[in-house]
Amino acid sequence: MKHTTINVIIGIVGAAIADLFGGWDQALKTLVILMTIDYLSGIAVAGIFKNSHKTASGGLESKAGWKGLCRKCMTLVFVLLGAQIDLLMGVDFVRLAIIIGYCSIELLSIVENAGLMGLPMPDAVYKAVDLLKGKSNDINKNFETEEAHNEDYHKEE
């Protein structure tokens, strides 16, 4: 009887958390799978191959690992916020757009980790990664330019 009660409590808590994230659908499952593969492949790059760009030695460091986990948690916070914005606005695309965006980032990171492990990659994969990185840099430059413009505007007031 005690195990049944514990299982019911865990089920209720899990369902409540999944509901906050907009449900445990294929999009969220895919993101969590990609995040897990990225994190584990990053550990392999640092721990086995000693080829991480995130540490001076290229090896494992707990601080780098914790930073990675914090980033993964913030990714999930954005998914949660997207789900809540969808509910607020009565739409069903903000959460999905956030998930798709983060899935592409995770996929790029997995490809990079595979490259750091020495896995041969077809040229098409390298070109796709470079293209996505270029678009990401363009978006960041546009954001920084807009941010600077907004700061200048507020100084004038």
Side-chain angles (χ1 to χ4, degrees):
M1 187 68 143
K2 187 176 181 179
H3 292 296
T4 304
T5 304
I6 291 172
N7 289 341
V8 167
I9 291 170
I10 291 171
I12 290 171
V13 170
I17 291 170
D19 186 55
L20 286 173
F21 282 92
W24 185 247
D25 61 355
Q26 191 58 48
L28 188 57
K29 287 179 200 174
T30 301
L31 178 61
V32 170
I33 288 168
L34 289 171
M35 289 170 67
T36 303
I37 292 169
D38 178 45
Y39 190 75
L40 294 176
S41 64
I43 289 173
V45 165
I48 297 169
F49 295 92
K50 309 286 188 227
N51 198 17
S52 175
H53 296 287
K54 298 186 175 159
T55 63
S57 67
L60 282 173
E61 285 185 14
S62 60
K63 187 175 181 180
W66 279 110
K67 282 183 177 180
L69 285 176
C70 287
R71 288 183 185 117
K72 303 292 183 206
C73 288
M74 282 307 298
T75 296
L76 294 174
V77 167
F78 277 101
V79 172
L80 184 141
L81 292 173
Q84 297 307 305
I85 290 169
D86 277 349
L87 288 172
L88 179 67
M89 295 173 41
V91 297
D92 194 22
F93 64 86
V94 176
R95 172 185 172 270
L96 186 58
I98 290 169
I99 289 175
I100 290 170
Y102 280 112
C103 280
S104 66
I105 291 168
E106 295 296 334
L107 192 56
L108 282 174
S109 184
I110 292 166
V111 169
E112 285 179 329
N113 288 342
L116 291 171
M117 290 179 195
L119 184 70
M121 297 281 176
D123 285 339
V125 173
Y126 285 119
K127 288 178 183 175
V129 169
D130 287 342
L131 180 68
L132 287 172
K133 280 184 179 179
K135 288 190 183 287
S136 175
N137 288 337
D138 289 345
I139 291 169
N140 287 336
K141 285 178 188 172
N142 289 340
F143 178 75
E144 289 168 2
T145 303
E146 186 176 317
E147 201 173 59
H149 174 73
N150 287 340
E151 286 176 11
D152 291 341
Y153 177 78
H154 291 294
K155 285 179 187 176
E156 293 173 5
E157 289 180 345

